[in-house]
Amino acid sequence: YLMYGELKKAKIDFDAAVKLSNDEAQYLAERGNYFSKIGEIENAQSDFNKALKKDSNLRITYHYISENYIRWK
């Protein structure tokens, strides 16, 4: 949904994925990316930090953190 600009549906899906996966790092990183794209920087950083605590080797999290920095610096 995020790719198609359907932000409300994307948020619902990301929240459900995080909840159902018991805060899996991949889904936290993806939701963090969603927050970054809509300008909710604090929520994005929070999800990125949670994702890194769960799995510090998940490369996509670092990618999204870099995009977040470039997008909002």
Side-chain angles (χ1 to χ4, degrees), residues 12-67:
I12 291 168
D13 280 357
F14 286 129
D15 286 344
V18 169
K19 184 177 180 180
L20 290 172
S21 72
N22 194 30
D23 291 345
E24 179 70 32
Q26 176 73 41
Y27 298 117
L28 286 163
E30 295 293 341
R31 188 174 68 181
N33 186 47
Y34 159 81
F35 283 132
S36 175
K37 286 185 175 187
I38 65 166
E40 293 187 20
I41 307 309
E42 290 180 16
N43 287 331
Q45 286 300 113
S46 176
D47 274 358
F48 294 148
N49 289 335
K50 289 176 190 175
L52 290 174
K53 285 181 184 174
K54 291 279 186 171
D55 184 356
S56 63
N57 294 315
L58 185 63
R59 292 182 289 169
I60 194 69
T61 306
Y62 295 102
H63 174 79
Y64 289 153
I65 290 169
S66 298
E67 282 186 341

